[in-house]
Amino acid sequence: MAVWSRGEVDAAVPDYFEMLILELRNEPYSKAEHRRRLMGKLSNRSEGSIERKHSNISAALVQLGYPFIKGYKPLYNFQRLLAEVVAERPESAEGLTQAVQASVEAPAQRASLTDFLIRLEDPPLPTEAAHTTSREVADILGRVRSPVNYLEREARNAALGRLGEEFVVDFERAWLTRLGCDRFVDRVEHVAVTKGDGLGFDVRSFDEDGSDKFIEVKTTAYGKQTPFYVSRNELLVSKASPREYHLYRVFDFRVDPRLYALRGPIDQACVLEPVQYSARVG
């Protein structure tokens, strides 16, 4: 298939942004209708080709610190031209920045759930999560990155984070009950509340044999492939207690909360990218 032209990319990016704005505002739209409408502006592109391009746009937005459309999982191996067009647009796209900011700052709400155990999913496959963007493309996005990283801002939403931790406490109690480990249910502890935030994990629970589970909770209102942020302390604790340490990623929290679990040292379960440094003179 021929490389996408400037005109094609110029048509695809604003179409994607239009859908993203509607999704962030919780307004209905049809991905299929958008694809059909876009096909008329392109050079004989299939729906599958359009979906892959939309996934490329998702990846570029993640690297700019923006959320992405659910269902268009980030696909990071994309052309320089796409990076250039996406980089030009977020700040100028009418309504996008406002919709993202409103979504990030929306009041946290706890979903009313009955069966917590059906909320558990497998983690993303490594091939789905891998960042394979070329250095050239990364440099283009880096030069125009917004001073506001909206994904990082959402990660600092304390109310959302606390509700995600409570969700995990309820999940662990339901899981232990299902296993017949009733003696441990009341001992599940929300240590981020009872002991503070300095332990490197948020919830203390138990395996069915009674051994400790140290659970760090990362919560987002966005999709499963949204990157998350870990502290140096969390990394060190995960390496010091590899058998006990679990990271629970809670996602789609405001609409349909689900989670996946990673066990062991964070740097073995995830690809870590340095985003901040401590600096001093001398």
Side-chain angles (χ1 to χ4, degrees), residues 17-243:
F17 286 171
E18 181 181 336
M19 289 188 287
L20 178 58
I21 290 169
L22 292 171
E23 184 164 295
L24 293 171
R25 292 175 176 170
N26 296 315
E27 296 179 18
Y29 71 95
S30 168
K31 290 187 177 75
E33 177 58 33
H34 273 263
R35 285 195 300 272
R36 286 192 293 269
R37 189 174 66 190
L38 184 58
M39 287 175 74
K41 303 177 183 179
L42 306 177
S43 300
N44 195 30
R45 300 290 178 181
S46 67
E47 291 199 26
S49 177
I50 292 172
E51 289 178 333
R52 288 191 294 275
K53 189 59 62 176
H54 282 152
S55 290
N56 290 150
I57 297 170
S58 292
L61 284 175
V62 167
Q63 293 189 298
L64 289 172
Y66 282 75
F68 58 90
I69 294 174
K70 295 171 186 173
Y72 289 135
K73 298 184 293 187
L75 185 61
Y76 288 88
N77 187 19
F78 53 85
Q79 65 190 124
R80 171 183 178 141
L81 175 61
L82 180 74
E84 292 173 343
V85 174
V86 172
E88 292 169 1
R89 297 297 181 89
E91 296 299 325
S92 60
E94 185 175 357
L96 178 60
T97 300
Q98 294 89 333
V100 172
Q101 185 166 326
S103 172
V104 166
E105 297 176 352
Q109 295 181 341
R110 182 170 183 173
S112 178
L113 302 172
T114 53
D115 192 341
F116 285 88
L117 299 184
I118 65 172
R119 301 285 157 178
L120 180 65
E121 295 188 2
D122 292 331
L125 296 172
T127 53
E128 293 177 337
H131 288 223
T132 56
T133 306
S134 70
R135 177 63 66 97
E136 181 183 37
V137 167
D139 287 346
I140 291 170
L141 295 174
R143 287 196 297 270
V144 299
R145 186 171 289 121
S146 167
V148 179
N149 183 322
Y150 293 101
L151 297 180
E152 186 175 0
R153 176 177 288 185
E154 194 220 22
R156 295 199 301 266
N157 185 327
L160 179 65
R162 187 54 46 90
L163 289 178
E165 293 164 12
E166 293 174 1
F167 171 81
V168 168
V169 169
D170 289 336
F171 173 87
E172 284 297 295
R173 288 173 174 163
W175 182 77
L176 288 166
T177 299
R178 174 73 63 85
L179 292 176
C181 300
D182 294 350
R183 66 191 184 280
F184 298 131
V185 170
D186 290 337
R187 294 173 58 191
V188 175
E189 184 179 0
H190 191 174
V191 294
V193 172
T194 61
K195 293 183 168 61
D197 292 327
L199 296 179
F201 59 95
D202 303 304
V203 176
R204 182 192 178 213
S205 185
F206 304 90
D207 278 319
E208 60 182 311
D209 63 0
S211 57
D212 279 319
K213 287 174 67 176
F214 302 150
I215 304 172
E216 173 61 28
V217 183
K218 301 293 183 182
T219 304
T220 182
Y222 303 125
K224 187 174 184 176
Q225 288 77 18
T226 303
F228 51 88
Y229 299 85
V230 298
S231 70
R232 182 173 182 272
N233 186 44
E234 291 160 1
L235 175 60
L236 292 176
V237 173
S238 75
K239 295 171 77 169
S241 303
R243 292 178 60 85

